[in-house]
C-alpha cells in the first residue's frame, strides 16, 4: 500500500483532503494531510515572516519525524512549490510527485511569477488593499469552479487568509528533485489558470491527466481524484477512472 502526503494550497488546511483521504484509506493506503503554518487551525502562528521555506520545512519535518518512505507527495495549487522543495530535500523518501493544478517551478521561480499576469496583479492588489500588504484574502469560490452550494458552505467557514510572502519567495532547488518521478493533473472545468503549468509538465515529459472538475478537485471530485492517485501510486495498474480524462459526475460526495 502507498503512503500519501497530501498538501493543501492557499487558504486551506489539511481538512480539505478529508473526502479524498477517506477513499484512499478504504483501499488500505496510509494518508497524511498536514496543515501548513499560518493556515486554518494553525492560523494563530501566522505572521509576515511565514514564507515558502516555512512550508517546505513543515512537510520535510513530517517526513523525517514519521520516518516516512516511498511517499506519494501530492500538492494542490500553491503547494506545487512545496512538493518541489520537499522532493529536492528528501529525494530518497519520495517515490512520486503529483502536481494537482499546481505550480511547476524551476530553480529561482516564485509562484507569483508563474501566475498569469492578470491573476498575479489581482492577488498583489488584494494583498496591498485588503491584506495589510502581506496577506491574500480568500478568493470567491465560484471563480475556482465550486458550483454546488453545499461545497461552498463546507469550504468557506474554514478558509483563512494566506501569507503573500509564500508567493513572492523564490523556490531554491538543487539537482535532487529531478530524481523523483512527477505527474501533473489539470482541472479543466474552470478558468484554467494552471494550463501553462500543465504545458510545462508536458515539455518535461511528465504524464498529464485532465480532470473534469473545477480547481477544488479534492472537494468537488473526490472519487475521480482518489482513483487517479491510486493509479499513479501503482503505475502497473491503470487508474480506476479508465482513461486520461476523468469525469467528476456522481463523485462529489458519498
Amino acid at each position: 500500500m502507498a503512503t500519501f502526503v497530501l498538501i493543501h494550497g492557499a487558504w486551506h488546511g489539511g481538512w480539505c483532503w478529508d473526502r479524498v483521504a477517506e477513499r484512499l484509506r478504504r483501499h488500505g493506503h496510509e494518508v497524511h494531510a498536514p496543515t501548513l503554518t499560518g493556515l486554518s487551525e494553525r492560523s494563530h502562528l501566522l505572521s509576515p515572516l511565514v514564507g515558502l521555506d516555512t512550508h517546505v520545512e513543515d512537510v520535510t519535518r513530517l517526513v523525517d519525524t514519521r520516518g516516512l518512505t516511498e511517499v506519494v507527495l501530492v500538492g494542490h495549487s500553491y503547494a506545487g512549490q512545496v512538493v518541489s522543495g520537499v522532493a529536492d530535500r528528501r529525494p530518497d523518501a519520495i517515490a512520486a510527485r503529483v502536481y494537482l493544478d499546481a505550480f511547476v517551478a524551476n530553480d529561482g521561480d516564485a509562484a507569483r511569477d508563474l501566475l498569469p499576469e492578470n491573476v498575479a496583479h489581482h492577488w498583489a492588489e488584494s494583498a496591498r488593499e485588503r491584506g495589510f500588504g502581506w496577506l491574500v484574502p480568500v478568493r470567491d469560490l465560484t471563480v475556482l469552479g465550486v458550483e454546488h452550494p453545499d461545497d461552498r458552505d463546507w469550504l468557506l467557514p474554514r478558509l483563512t487568509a494566506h501569507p503573500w510572502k509564500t508567493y513572492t519567495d523564490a523556490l531554491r532547488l538543487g539537482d535532487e528533485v529531478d530524481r523523483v518521478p512527477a505527474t501533473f493533473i489539470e482541472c479543466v472545468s474552470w478558468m484554467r489558470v494552471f494550463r501553462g503549468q500543465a504545458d510545462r509538465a508536458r515539455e518535461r515529459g511528465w504524464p498529464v491527466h485532465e480532470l473534469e472538475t473545477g480547481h477544488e478537485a479534492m472537494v468537488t471530485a473526490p472519487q475521480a481524484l482518489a482513483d487517479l492517485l491510486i493509479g499513479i501510486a501503482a503505475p502497473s495498474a491503470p487508474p480506476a477512472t479508465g482513461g486520461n480524462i476523468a469525469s467528476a459526475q456522481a463523485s462529489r460526495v458519498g
Side-chain angles (χ1 to χ4, degrees), residues 17 20 100 185 211 217-218 221-230 241:
W17 295 99
V20 173
L100 173 62
I185 302 173
L211 198 60
M218 73 287 295
Q223 188 62 60
L225 178 55
D227 289 343
L228 268 177
L229 294 178
I230 290 169
T241 50

Side-chain angles (χ1 to χ4, degrees), residues 11-237:
W11 312 306
H12 293 62
W15 51 265
C16 74
W17 295 99
D18 284 356
R19 297 174 183 181
V20 173
E22 176 186 5
R23 287 163 168 81
L24 295 176
R25 289 177 179 128
R26 284 179 194 168
H27 286 267
H29 301 294
E30 180 179 348
V31 181
H32 302 268
T35 292
L36 301 173
T37 297
L39 280 299
S40 194
E41 74 272 17
R42 303 187 70 203
S43 61
H44 61 291
L45 300 175
L46 184 60
S47 83
L49 299 178
V50 174
L52 176 58
D53 283 347
T54 312
H55 291 165
V56 172
E57 187 67 13
D58 284 339
V59 181
T60 302
R61 290 195 180 200
L62 170 69
V63 171
D64 290 350
T65 301
R66 296 288 187 128
L68 303 181
T69 59
E70 295 297 309
V71 171
V72 179
L73 192 59
V74 183
H76 176 238
S77 196
Y78 151 71
Q81 295 285 82
V82 181
V83 164
S84 296
V86 174
D88 192 60
R89 292 188 184 187
R90 297 293 185 272
D92 293 331
I94 311 301
R97 297 176 281 153
V98 181
Y99 295 76
L100 173 62
D101 236 17
F103 294 117
V104 177
N106 295 317
D107 177 50
D109 285 341
R112 174 182 177 171
D113 299 330
L114 299 177
L115 287 168
E117 182 55 38
N118 63 321
V119 177
H121 176 77
H122 171 72
W123 281 46
E125 187 177 65
S126 296
R128 183 173 59 253
E129 295 181 356
R130 297 192 292 126
F132 311 103
W134 62 279
L135 292 172
V136 181
V138 175
R139 198 168 187 199
D140 183 353
L141 291 172
T142 58
V143 174
L144 303 179
V146 183
E147 298 177 352
H148 199 287
D150 289 347
D151 290 335
R152 292 198 297 268
D153 290 346
W154 186 71
L155 278 166
L156 194 56
R158 295 170 169 83
L159 300 177
T160 54
H162 189 89
W164 181 227
K165 188 176 188 295
T166 64
Y167 272 75
T168 59
D169 283 349
L171 177 65
R172 297 304 177 189
L173 298 173
D175 298 328
E176 298 298 293
V177 63
D178 293 328
R179 292 172 48 196
V180 183
T183 299
F184 194 94
I185 302 173
E186 187 191 3
C187 302
V188 298
S189 300
W190 71 302
M191 60 190 295
R192 298 185 75 173
V193 167
F194 290 89
R195 187 198 301 259
Q197 303 306 300
D199 290 341
R200 269 194 170 199
R202 291 186 181 95
E203 290 168 3
R204 297 180 182 200
W206 300 359
V208 176
H209 301 273
E210 294 183 351
L211 198 60
E212 291 283 358
T213 192
H215 185 56
E216 303 285 282
M218 73 287 295
V219 175
T220 58
Q223 188 62 60
L225 178 55
D227 289 343
L228 268 177
L229 294 178
I230 290 169
I232 290 166
S236 60

